[in-house]
Amino acid sequence: MKIDPIHILKDHDLKHTKQRVRVLEEIAMDSVAISQPELEKKLGKEIDRVTLYRILNAYEEKGILHKIMDMNGTANYAICSPSCSVDHHHDEHVHFNCTNCLKIYCLDVMIPKIKMPAGFTASTVNTTAYGICEKCSVLQSGN
Amino acid sequence: MKIDPIHILKDHDLKHTKQRVRVLEEIAMDSVAISQPELEKKLGKEIDRVTLYRILNAYEEKGILHKIMDMNGTANYAICSPSCSVDHHHDEHVHFNCTNCLKIYCLDVMIPKIKMPAGFTASTVNTTAYGICEKCSVLQSGN
DNA sequence: AATATAAATGCAATTAGGTTGCAAATGTAG
DNA sequence: CTACATTTGCAACCTAATTGCATTTATATT
């Protein structure tokens, strides 16, 4: 998946600034989701903390990123699929949160349909599996 | 479901203190999960903030409560089913997080089995549906 | 290219959630 | 009823996140 920050910004009516481009580049670099603290560590010299928060919020609202909370309540961000929009996030895939390295993966597994009890109307469903990821599993088995 | 705090504490090798009993009582009062901030508001005069955190952590570890993170990364707590233990939490039901009143419900709906990609081993799976709950739905329709 | 203007940024200060260390208070086994 | 381990409360601290405001920057228009 090729990422073109400038195009993405234009498509979502966001001004093209170097901070915004940097954030998108950084998040697009890795296939796994990246946490706010990690982003801050990487971009802290170039971008102010507050600006980073504001950019991430803007991206989430516009449907550019989706936000995944890990078990500690830390925000993690990943690039949305192209079909996401302001109105609806289509990140209806399962997330995998490694309890060892803490990385969050977007799996290519759809969330099964869930039937809601009478009276409850779900607009989004979120599924996160916790366990040991591919990489950590290899490392632990002493390979 | 009848809750007997004193019994629960004994069963889990926790000393019987009035703070611990109060926390259990408060959480058992409502059928929906209660957030840390709410608990603090209700019990803040009787119990120190730090003590509350420690009690909640102890309860989670012992399998008395399970912790559910909402979309803002706030911790919410609900009483576990009797089969929960230190080793394994059996809260494998779907949670419903109302985006209006922010309450979290434990639904009587099991989480479907999810097949993991090769290399990924899941020990727990968490599913949360976001939308409008029973009560808020009634209120909004002007009943 | 110059400029007006609306939006984005950086900074300082603040709020809130959560943790740590330690002395005093409390529960419980003998 | 005593001794001891545990729990509690307090003060201090850390990190995540937010707000208000002055300054800077992007861009549409001339």
Coordinates of all heavy atoms in Angstrom, one line a residue, chain B residues 42-113:
Chain B
K42 N -18.1 8.7 43.9 CA -19.0 8.2 44.9 C -18.3 7.9 46.2 O -18.9 8.0 47.3 CB -19.7 6.9 44.3 CG -20.7 7.1 43.3 CD -21.6 5.9 43.1 CE -22.7 6.2 42.1 NZ -23.5 5.0 41.9
L43 N -17.1 7.4 46.1 CA -16.4 6.9 47.3 C -15.3 7.8 47.8 O -14.7 7.5 48.9 CB -15.8 5.5 47.1 CG -16.9 4.4 46.7 CD1 -16.1 3.2 46.2 CD2 -17.8 4.1 47.8
G44 N -15.1 8.9 47.1 CA -13.9 9.8 47.4 C -13.9 10.3 48.8 O -12.8 10.5 49.3
K45 N -15.0 10.4 49.5 CA -15.0 10.9 50.8 C -14.6 9.8 51.8 O -14.1 10.1 52.9 CB -16.4 11.5 51.2 CG -17.0 12.5 50.3 CD -16.5 13.9 50.5 CE -16.3 14.6 49.2 NZ -17.0 15.8 48.9
E46 N -15.0 8.6 51.5 CA -14.7 7.5 52.4 C -13.4 6.8 52.2 O -12.8 6.3 53.1 CB -15.8 6.4 52.3 CG -17.2 6.9 52.2 CD -18.2 5.8 51.8 OE1 -18.1 4.7 52.4 OE2 -19.1 6.0 51.0
I47 N -13.0 6.8 50.9 CA -11.8 6.0 50.6 C -10.8 6.9 49.8 O -11.2 7.6 48.9 CB -12.2 4.8 49.7 CG1 -13.3 4.0 50.3 CG2 -10.9 3.9 49.4 CD1 -13.7 2.8 49.5
D48 N -9.5 6.8 50.1 CA -8.5 7.5 49.4 C -8.4 7.0 48.0 O -8.5 5.8 47.7 CB -7.2 7.3 50.2 CG -6.1 8.2 49.6 OD1 -6.1 9.4 49.9 OD2 -5.3 7.6 48.9
R49 N -8.1 8.0 47.1 CA -7.8 7.7 45.7 C -6.9 6.5 45.5 O -7.2 5.6 44.7 CB -7.1 8.9 45.0 CG -8.0 9.8 44.3 CD -7.3 11.1 44.0 NE -6.1 10.9 43.2 CZ -6.1 10.6 41.9 NH1 -7.3 10.5 41.3 NH2 -5.0 10.5 41.2
V50 N -5.8 6.5 46.2 CA -4.8 5.5 46.0 C -5.3 4.1 46.4 O -5.1 3.1 45.8 CB -3.5 5.9 46.8 CG1 -2.5 4.8 46.6 CG2 -2.9 7.2 46.3
T51 N -6.0 4.1 47.5 CA -6.5 2.9 48.1 C -7.5 2.3 47.1 O -7.5 1.1 46.8 CB -7.2 3.1 49.4 OG1 -6.3 3.7 50.3 CG2 -7.8 1.9 50.0
L52 N -8.3 3.2 46.5 CA -9.3 2.7 45.5 C -8.6 2.0 44.3 O -8.9 0.9 43.9 CB -10.1 3.9 45.0 CG -11.2 3.6 43.9 CD1 -12.1 2.5 44.4 CD2 -12.0 4.8 43.6
Y53 N -7.5 2.7 43.8 CA -6.8 2.1 42.7 C -6.2 0.7 43.1 O -6.3 -0.3 42.4 CB -5.6 3.0 42.3 CG -6.0 4.1 41.4 CD1 -5.9 5.4 41.8 CD2 -6.4 3.9 40.1 CE1 -6.3 6.5 41.0 CE2 -6.7 4.9 39.3 CZ -6.7 6.2 39.7 OH -7.0 7.2 38.9
R54 N -5.7 0.6 44.3 CA -5.1 -0.6 44.8 C -6.2 -1.7 44.9 O -5.9 -2.9 44.6 CB -4.3 -0.4 46.1 CG -3.0 0.4 45.8 CD -2.0 0.4 46.9 NE -2.3 1.4 47.9 CZ -1.4 2.2 48.4 NH1 -0.2 2.2 47.9 NH2 -1.7 3.2 49.2
I55 N -7.3 -1.3 45.4 CA -8.4 -2.3 45.6 C -8.8 -2.8 44.2 O -9.0 -4.0 44.0 CB -9.5 -1.7 46.4 CG1 -9.1 -1.5 47.9 CG2 -10.8 -2.6 46.3 CD1 -10.2 -0.8 48.7
L56 N -9.0 -1.9 43.3 CA -9.5 -2.3 42.0 C -8.5 -3.2 41.3 O -8.8 -4.2 40.7 CB -9.8 -1.1 41.1 CG -11.0 -0.2 41.6 CD1 -11.0 1.1 40.8 CD2 -12.3 -1.0 41.4
N57 N -7.2 -2.9 41.4 CA -6.2 -3.8 40.9 C -6.2 -5.1 41.5 O -6.1 -6.1 40.8 CB -4.8 -3.1 41.0 CG -4.6 -2.0 40.0 OD1 -5.3 -1.9 39.0 ND2 -3.7 -1.1 40.4
A58 N -6.3 -5.2 42.8 CA -6.3 -6.5 43.5 C -7.5 -7.3 43.0 O -7.4 -8.5 42.8 CB -6.4 -6.2 45.0
Y59 N -8.6 -6.7 42.9 CA -9.9 -7.4 42.5 C -9.7 -7.9 41.1 O -10.2 -9.0 40.8 CB -11.1 -6.5 42.6 CG -11.6 -6.2 44.0 CD1 -12.7 -5.4 44.2 CD2 -11.0 -6.8 45.1 CE1 -13.1 -5.1 45.5 CE2 -11.5 -6.6 46.4 CZ -12.5 -5.8 46.6 OH -13.0 -5.5 47.8
E60 N -9.1 -7.1 40.2 CA -8.9 -7.6 38.9 C -7.9 -8.8 38.8 O -8.2 -9.7 38.2 CB -8.3 -6.4 38.0 CG -8.6 -6.6 36.5 CD -7.6 -5.9 35.7 OE1 -6.9 -5.0 36.2 OE2 -7.5 -6.2 34.5
E61 N -6.9 -8.7 39.5 CA -5.9 -9.8 39.6 C -6.5 -11.1 40.1 O -6.2 -12.1 39.6 CB -4.7 -9.4 40.5 CG -3.6 -8.8 39.7 CD -2.5 -8.3 40.7 OE1 -2.3 -8.9 41.8 OE2 -1.8 -7.3 40.4
K62 N -7.3 -10.9 41.1 CA -7.9 -12.1 41.7 C -9.1 -12.6 40.9 O -9.6 -13.7 41.3 CB -8.4 -11.7 43.2 CG -7.3 -11.4 44.1 CD -6.6 -12.7 44.6 CE -5.5 -12.3 45.7 NZ -4.9 -13.5 46.3
G63 N -9.5 -11.9 39.9 CA -10.6 -12.4 39.1 C -12.0 -12.1 39.7 O -13.0 -12.7 39.4
I64 N -12.0 -11.1 40.6 CA -13.3 -10.7 41.2 C -14.0 -9.7 40.2 O -15.2 -9.7 40.0 CB -13.1 -10.0 42.5 CG1 -12.5 -11.1 43.5 CG2 -14.4 -9.5 43.1 CD1 -12.1 -10.5 44.9
L65 N -13.2 -8.8 39.7 CA -13.8 -7.8 38.7 C -13.1 -8.0 37.4 O -12.0 -8.5 37.3 CB -13.4 -6.4 39.2 CG -14.0 -5.9 40.5 CD1 -13.6 -4.4 40.7 CD2 -15.6 -6.0 40.4
H66 N -13.8 -7.6 36.3 CA -13.0 -7.4 35.1 C -13.0 -6.0 34.6 O -13.9 -5.2 34.9 CB -13.4 -8.4 34.0 CG -14.7 -8.3 33.4 ND1 -15.8 -9.1 33.9 CD2 -15.2 -7.6 32.4 CE1 -16.9 -8.8 33.2 NE2 -16.6 -7.9 32.3
K67 N -12.0 -5.6 34.0 CA -11.7 -4.2 33.6 C -12.0 -4.1 32.1 O -11.6 -4.9 31.3 CB -10.2 -4.0 33.8 CG -9.7 -2.6 33.6 CD -8.2 -2.6 33.8 CE -7.6 -1.2 33.9 NZ -6.2 -1.3 34.3
I68 N -12.8 -3.1 31.8 CA -13.1 -2.8 30.4 C -12.7 -1.4 30.1 O -13.1 -0.5 30.8 CB -14.6 -3.0 30.1 CG1 -15.2 -4.3 30.7 CG2 -15.0 -2.9 28.6 CD1 -16.5 -4.1 31.5
M69 N -11.9 -1.2 29.0 CA -11.5 0.1 28.6 C -12.6 0.7 27.7 O -13.0 0.1 26.7 CB -10.2 0.1 27.9 CG -9.0 -0.2 28.7 SD -8.7 1.2 29.8 CE -7.4 0.5 30.9
D70 N -13.0 1.9 27.9 CA -13.9 2.6 27.0 C -13.1 3.3 25.9 O -11.9 3.3 25.9 CB -14.9 3.4 27.7 CG -14.3 4.7 28.3 OD1 -13.2 5.0 27.9 OD2 -15.0 5.3 29.1
M71 N -13.8 4.0 25.0 CA -13.2 4.6 23.8 C -12.2 5.7 24.2 O -11.4 6.1 23.5 CB -14.2 5.1 22.9 CG -15.3 6.0 23.5 SD -16.9 5.5 23.2 CE -17.9 7.0 23.6
N72 N -12.4 6.2 25.4 CA -11.5 7.3 25.9 C -10.3 6.7 26.7 O -9.6 7.5 27.3 CB -12.2 8.3 26.7 CG -13.4 8.9 26.0 OD1 -13.2 9.4 24.9 ND2 -14.5 8.9 26.6
G73 N -10.2 5.4 26.8 CA -9.1 4.9 27.6 C -9.4 4.9 29.1 O -8.5 4.9 29.9
T74 N -10.7 5.1 29.5 CA -11.0 5.1 30.9 C -11.3 3.7 31.3 O -12.0 2.9 30.6 CB -12.2 6.0 31.1 OG1 -12.0 7.3 30.6 CG2 -12.6 6.1 32.6
A75 N -10.8 3.3 32.5 CA -11.1 2.0 33.1 C -12.5 1.9 33.6 O -13.0 2.7 34.3 CB -10.1 1.7 34.1
N76 N -13.2 0.8 33.2 CA -14.5 0.5 33.8 C -14.5 -0.9 34.4 O -13.8 -1.8 33.9 CB -15.6 0.5 32.6 CG -15.9 1.9 32.2 OD1 -16.9 2.4 32.5 ND2 -15.0 2.5 31.5
Y77 N -15.3 -1.1 35.4 CA -15.2 -2.3 36.1 C -16.6 -3.0 36.3 O -17.6 -2.3 36.5 CB -14.6 -2.1 37.5 CG -13.2 -1.7 37.5 CD1 -12.8 -0.4 37.4 CD2 -12.2 -2.6 37.4 CE1 -11.5 0.0 37.3 CE2 -10.8 -2.3 37.3 CZ -10.5 -0.9 37.3 OH -9.2 -0.5 37.1
A78 N -16.6 -4.3 36.1 CA -17.9 -5.0 36.4 C -17.5 -6.3 37.1 O -16.4 -6.8 37.0 CB -18.6 -5.4 35.0
I79 N -18.5 -6.8 37.8 CA -18.3 -8.1 38.6 C -18.1 -9.2 37.6 O -18.9 -9.4 36.7 CB -19.5 -8.4 39.5 CG1 -19.7 -7.2 40.4 CG2 -19.3 -9.7 40.2 CD1 -19.5 -7.4 41.9
C80 N -17.1 -10.1 37.9 CA -16.9 -11.2 37.0 C -17.9 -12.3 37.3 O -18.5 -12.3 38.3 CB -15.5 -11.8 37.3 SG -14.2 -10.9 36.5
S81 N -18.1 -13.2 36.3 CA -18.9 -14.4 36.6 C -18.1 -15.2 37.6 O -16.9 -15.1 37.7 CB -19.1 -15.1 35.2 OG -17.9 -15.8 34.8
P82 N -18.9 -16.1 38.3 CA -18.2 -16.9 39.4 C -17.1 -17.8 38.9 O -16.2 -18.2 39.7 CB -19.4 -17.7 39.9 CG -20.6 -17.0 39.5 CD -20.3 -16.4 38.2
S83 N -17.1 -18.1 37.6 CA -16.0 -19.0 37.1 C -14.7 -18.3 36.9 O -13.7 -19.0 36.6 CB -16.5 -19.6 35.8 OG -16.7 -18.6 34.8
C84 N -14.6 -17.0 37.1 CA -13.3 -16.3 36.9 C -12.3 -16.6 38.0 O -12.7 -16.8 39.1 CB -13.5 -14.8 36.8 SG -14.3 -14.2 35.3
S85 N -11.1 -16.7 37.6 CA -10.0 -16.9 38.6 C -8.8 -16.1 38.4 O -8.7 -15.3 37.4 CB -9.7 -18.4 38.6 OG -8.9 -18.6 37.4
V86 N -7.8 -16.3 39.2 CA -6.5 -15.5 39.0 C -5.9 -15.9 37.6 O -5.4 -15.0 36.9 CB -5.5 -15.9 40.1 CG1 -4.3 -15.1 40.0 CG2 -6.1 -15.8 41.5
D87 N -6.0 -17.1 37.3 CA -5.4 -17.6 36.1 C -6.1 -17.2 34.8 O -5.5 -16.9 33.8 CB -5.3 -19.1 36.1 CG -4.8 -19.7 37.4 OD1 -3.7 -19.3 37.8 OD2 -5.6 -20.4 38.1
H88 N -7.4 -17.1 34.9 CA -8.1 -16.8 33.6 C -9.4 -16.1 33.8 O -10.2 -16.5 34.7 CB -8.3 -18.1 32.9 CG -8.7 -17.9 31.4 ND1 -7.9 -17.3 30.6 CD2 -9.8 -18.2 30.7 CE1 -8.5 -17.2 29.4 NE2 -9.6 -17.8 29.5
H89 N -9.6 -15.0 33.1 CA -10.9 -14.3 33.2 C -11.8 -14.9 32.1 O -11.4 -15.0 30.9 CB -10.6 -12.8 32.9 CG -10.2 -12.1 34.1 ND1 -11.1 -11.3 34.8 CD2 -9.0 -12.0 34.7 CE1 -10.4 -10.7 35.8 NE2 -9.2 -11.1 35.8
H90 N -13.0 -15.3 32.5 CA -14.0 -15.8 31.6 C -15.0 -14.8 31.2 O -16.2 -15.1 31.2 CB -14.7 -17.0 32.2 CG -13.7 -18.2 32.4 ND1 -13.3 -19.0 31.5 CD2 -13.2 -18.6 33.6 CE1 -12.5 -19.9 32.0 NE2 -12.4 -19.7 33.3
D91 N -14.6 -13.6 31.0 CA -15.5 -12.6 30.6 C -15.7 -12.5 29.1 O -15.6 -11.5 28.4 CB -15.2 -11.2 31.2 CG -13.8 -10.7 30.7 OD1 -12.9 -11.5 30.6 OD2 -13.7 -9.5 30.5
E92 N -15.9 -13.7 28.5 CA -15.9 -13.8 27.0 C -17.3 -13.5 26.5 O -17.8 -14.2 25.6 CB -15.5 -15.2 26.6 CG -14.2 -15.7 27.4 CD -12.9 -15.4 26.7 OE1 -12.7 -16.0 25.6 OE2 -12.1 -14.6 27.2
H93 N -17.8 -12.4 27.0 CA -19.1 -11.9 26.4 C -18.8 -10.5 25.8 O -17.8 -9.9 26.0 CB -20.1 -11.8 27.5 CG -19.6 -11.0 28.7 ND1 -19.2 -11.6 29.9 CD2 -19.5 -9.7 28.9 CE1 -18.8 -10.6 30.7 NE2 -19.0 -9.5 30.2
V94 N -19.8 -10.1 25.0 CA -19.7 -8.9 24.3 C -20.0 -7.7 25.2 O -21.0 -7.8 26.0 CB -20.6 -8.9 23.0 CG1 -20.6 -7.5 22.4 CG2 -20.2 -10.0 22.0
H95 N -19.3 -6.7 25.1 CA -19.6 -5.5 25.9 C -20.3 -4.4 24.9 O -20.0 -4.4 23.8 CB -18.4 -4.8 26.5 CG -17.8 -5.7 27.6 ND1 -16.5 -6.0 27.7 CD2 -18.4 -6.3 28.7 CE1 -16.3 -6.8 28.7 NE2 -17.4 -6.9 29.4
F96 N -21.2 -3.7 25.6 CA -21.8 -2.6 24.8 C -21.5 -1.3 25.4 O -21.9 -1.0 26.6 CB -23.3 -2.9 24.7 CG -24.0 -1.9 23.8 CD1 -24.2 -2.3 22.4 CD2 -24.5 -0.7 24.2 CE1 -24.9 -1.5 21.5 CE2 -25.1 0.2 23.3 CZ -25.3 -0.2 21.9
N97 N -20.9 -0.4 24.7 CA -20.6 0.9 25.2 C -21.5 2.0 24.5 O -21.3 2.3 23.3 CB -19.1 1.2 24.8 CG -18.5 2.4 25.6 OD1 -17.3 2.6 25.6 ND2 -19.3 3.1 26.3
C98 N -22.4 2.5 25.3 CA -23.3 3.5 24.8 C -22.6 4.8 24.5 O -21.9 5.4 25.4 CB -24.5 3.7 25.7 SG -25.7 5.0 25.1
T99 N -22.7 5.3 23.3 CA -22.0 6.6 22.9 C -22.7 7.8 23.4 O -22.2 8.9 23.4 CB -21.8 6.7 21.4 OG1 -23.0 6.5 20.8 CG2 -20.8 5.6 20.9
N100 N -23.9 7.6 23.9 CA -24.7 8.7 24.5 C -24.4 8.8 26.0 O -23.9 9.8 26.5 CB -26.1 8.5 24.2 CG -27.0 9.7 24.6 OD1 -27.9 9.6 25.4 ND2 -26.6 10.9 24.1
C101 N -24.8 7.8 26.8 CA -24.7 7.9 28.2 C -23.3 7.3 28.7 O -23.0 7.4 29.9 CB -25.8 7.2 28.9 SG -25.8 5.4 28.7
L102 N -22.6 6.8 27.8 CA -21.2 6.3 28.0 C -21.2 5.0 28.9 O -20.1 4.5 29.3 CB -20.3 7.3 28.7 CG -20.2 8.6 27.8 CD1 -19.2 9.6 28.5 CD2 -19.6 8.3 26.4
K103 N -22.3 4.5 29.3 CA -22.4 3.3 30.1 C -21.9 2.1 29.3 O -22.1 2.0 28.1 CB -23.8 3.0 30.6 CG -24.3 3.9 31.7 CD -25.3 3.2 32.6 CE -25.6 4.0 33.9 NZ -26.6 5.0 33.7
I104 N -21.3 1.2 30.1 CA -20.9 -0.1 29.5 C -21.7 -1.3 30.0 O -21.7 -1.5 31.2 CB -19.4 -0.3 29.7 CG1 -18.5 0.7 29.0 CG2 -19.0 -1.7 29.2 CD1 -17.1 0.6 29.1
Y105 N -22.3 -2.0 29.1 CA -23.1 -3.1 29.5 C -22.4 -4.4 29.2 O -21.7 -4.5 28.2 CB -24.4 -3.2 28.7 CG -25.4 -2.0 28.9 CD1 -25.1 -0.8 28.4 CD2 -26.5 -2.1 29.7 CE1 -25.9 0.3 28.5 CE2 -27.4 -1.1 29.9 CZ -27.1 0.2 29.3 OH -27.9 1.2 29.5
C106 N -22.6 -5.4 30.1 CA -22.1 -6.8 29.8 C -23.3 -7.5 29.2 O -24.3 -7.8 29.8 CB -21.6 -7.5 31.1 SG -20.2 -6.7 31.8
L107 N -23.2 -7.7 27.9 CA -24.3 -8.4 27.2 C -24.2 -9.9 27.4 O -23.2 -10.5 27.6 CB -24.3 -8.1 25.7 CG -24.4 -6.6 25.3 CD1 -24.4 -6.5 23.8 CD2 -25.6 -6.0 25.9
D108 N -25.4 -10.5 27.3 CA -25.4 -12.0 27.4 C -25.2 -12.6 26.0 O -26.0 -13.5 25.6 CB -26.8 -12.4 28.0 CG -26.8 -13.8 28.5 OD1 -25.6 -14.3 28.7 OD2 -27.8 -14.4 28.8
V109 N -24.2 -12.2 25.4 CA -23.9 -12.6 24.0 C -22.4 -13.1 24.0 O -21.5 -12.3 24.4 CB -24.0 -11.5 23.0 CG1 -23.6 -12.0 21.6 CG2 -25.5 -11.0 23.0
M110 N -22.1 -14.3 23.6 CA -20.8 -14.8 23.6 C -20.0 -14.2 22.5 O -20.5 -13.9 21.4 CB -20.7 -16.3 23.5 CG -21.1 -17.0 24.8 SD -19.9 -16.8 26.1 CE -20.8 -15.8 27.3
I111 N -18.7 -14.1 22.6 CA -17.8 -13.6 21.6 C -17.5 -14.8 20.6 O -17.1 -15.9 21.1 CB -16.5 -13.1 22.1 CG1 -16.7 -11.8 22.9 CG2 -15.5 -12.8 21.0 CD1 -15.5 -11.3 23.6
P112 N -17.8 -14.6 19.4 CA -17.6 -15.7 18.4 C -16.1 -16.1 18.4 O -15.2 -15.3 18.6 CB -18.0 -15.1 17.1 CG -18.7 -13.8 17.3 CD -18.2 -13.4 18.7
K113 N -15.9 -17.4 18.1 CA -14.5 -17.8 17.9 C -13.9 -17.1 16.7 O -14.5 -17.0 15.7 CB -14.4 -19.3 17.6 CG -14.5 -20.2 18.9 CD -13.1 -20.5 19.5 CE -13.2 -20.8 21.0 NZ -13.7 -19.7 21.8

